Amino acid sequence: PSPPSPPSPPSPPSPPSPISGKVSGYYLLSWLHHPSDPMIMLPSNYNLAITFSGWGASQSNLFGLIPDSYPLAGSQSGHNYISIGGGADTGAWNSNDLDPSLWQNNIIPNSKKRKYTGICFDLERGSATVEQYAVLFKIVKDAGLKVMITVSWFGQATWGFANMPDLTNSFMSDPNVDIFSPQLYKNNCDEVWDGKSNLPSQDVMNKLQSLGSKLVPSINDTGTGTTNNINKIFPNNGGVVQFCNN
């Protein structure tokens, strides 16, 4: 007789429902916590949580900073992202970080194991091409995860990536990108962006306007000043993500 058919693999967990209304997100700094800590559930007014370490994809300790089976930072909506990359040397993007096999065999399985539903690409320093990132975004989306990108200001300065304007232009038109998040701050908590500093060219502004709800800036202001200025300039934005951890 024929051997019995192997059991079907379990279905992947269903992704959370789309966020109703605007995004209200929060970055939780992983180094302030321990991987044995229970999941830190954000208050109900936050509907997106991002676990931030500042470590790059090829850093061996990336997943050593967070629990093994659940997201360190969780939102009650189930929209939980792990951030990869950062402004320090440990977060710079290089050829190892961009290797598709690393993402297929390590980043995505480990992110899913910890029940993250999306990956936040923190793109501040490194060397990469438009094509390399496009490949990674598609791999992540095909795996059933969301793609968020965050860049310094509006992604026009070239101090971190020599080709940052070209990268940013491609990010804004890539169909696999779910959230584009300019970082509208320098360093200080409660720093209010005045709605004028570091604005890009009119051509880039037009593209940012066309993003609509995919435009979700990262801010440091815990008040309403920055959000009010964002709403004036980008009235169709999708919300904000709070970086400052007081």
Side-chain angles (χ1 to χ4, degrees), residues 124 152-153 159 183-194 197-198 218-221 243:
E124 298 184 60
S152 181
W153 295 104
W159 70 268
Q183 301 167 4
L184 304 185
Y185 55 85
K186 295 179 182 177
N187 295 306
N188 300 325
C189 284
D190 292 325
E191 172 189 349
V192 177
W193 177 60
D194 60 9
S197 301
N198 296 295
S218 294
I219 66 174
N220 245 5
D221 178 15
F243 186 78

Side-chain angles (χ1 to χ4, degrees), residues 94-95 98-100 127-137 167:
N94 57 46
S95 58
L98 298 158
D99 182 357
S127 177
T129 67
V130 166
E131 292 75 19
Q132 285 175 307
Y133 277 122
V135 167
L136 294 189
F137 300 157
L167 291 174

Side-chain angles (χ1 to χ4, degrees), residues 83-227:
S83 178
I84 298 179
D89 289 345
T90 53
W93 292 81
N94 57 46
S95 58
N96 292 330
D97 299 281
L98 298 158
D99 182 357
S101 64
L102 172 70
W103 286 77
Q104 293 166 328
N105 300 323
N106 183 357
I107 302 300
I108 289 172
N110 274 300
S111 298
K112 286 189 166 185
K113 177 183 176 183
R114 290 159 173 83
K115 298 181 173 58
Y116 287 97
T117 59
I119 292 176
C120 176
F121 289 76
D122 189 354
L123 308 181
E124 298 184 60
R125 295 178 60 188
S127 177
T129 67
V130 166
E131 292 75 19
Q132 285 175 307
Y133 277 122
V135 167
L136 294 189
F137 300 157
K138 187 174 189 308
I139 288 173
V140 171
K141 285 290 289 193
D142 286 349
L145 299 173
K146 296 285 188 180
V147 173
M148 174 179 175
I149 295 170
T150 182
V151 298
S152 181
W153 295 104
F154 294 99
Q156 299 304 299
T158 56
W159 70 268
F161 284 87
N163 60 337
M164 195 73 230
D166 291 336
L167 291 174
T168 298
N169 189 54
S170 71
F171 299 157
M172 290 190 289
S173 60
D174 192 313
N176 291 312
V177 173
D178 299 288
I179 294 175
F180 181 70
S181 185
Q183 301 167 4
L184 304 185
Y185 55 85
K186 295 179 182 177
N187 295 306
N188 300 325
C189 284
D190 292 325
E191 172 189 349
V192 177
W193 177 60
D194 60 9
K196 302 174 184 177
S197 301
N198 296 295
L199 284 176
S201 68
Q202 188 58 53
D203 179 59
V204 175
M205 286 291 289
N206 292 341
K207 292 175 181 177
L208 289 164
Q209 296 279 9
S210 70
L211 289 176
S213 61
K214 290 174 67 172
L215 180 68
V216 181
S218 294
I219 66 174
N220 245 5
D221 178 15
T222 56
T224 60
T226 298
T227 300

